[in-house]
Amino acid sequence: DRVRAASLGFLTEGRGQTLAQAALRFALMMPQTSTVLVGFSDLEQVETAASCYAGKGILPEDLPRLAELYHAD
């Protein structure tokens, strides 16, 4: 829902990435993950997803906050 998505704004603010990019980077940074499947509707979405493979993962200081949000439900 929108409230939950808004609580993840710290992953995008001032970082030049969308929430979808942050989600892909989070999945890709997990050592147990070898493949992330993504759906596409247009070329822009393909390019956005591809840019995540060369990027860095979620910042280490953001991981505790993500865990807190996860366990809040």
Side-chain angles (χ1 to χ4, degrees):
D1 72 13
R2 292 178 189 199
V3 173
R4 289 175 124 180
S7 70
L8 297 170
F10 68 96
L11 296 171
T12 61
E13 294 166 359
R15 299 185 188 186
Q17 69 178 359
T18 66
L19 194 51
Q21 288 171 314
L24 283 171
R25 288 188 174 116
F26 177 77
L28 289 166
M29 70 182 271
M30 298 296 154
Q32 64 271 29
T33 302
S34 61
T35 304
V36 177
L37 299 177
V38 182
F40 308 109
S41 298
D42 56 44
L43 182 57
E44 182 180 353
Q45 291 177 346
V46 173
E47 292 169 346
T48 297
S51 72
C52 295
Y53 291 97
K56 298 178 181 177
I58 301 296
L59 296 175
E61 58 266 24
D62 289 336
L63 294 176
R65 192 164 173 190
L66 284 172
E68 181 182 312
L69 288 169
Y70 176 78
H71 293 292
D73 288 333

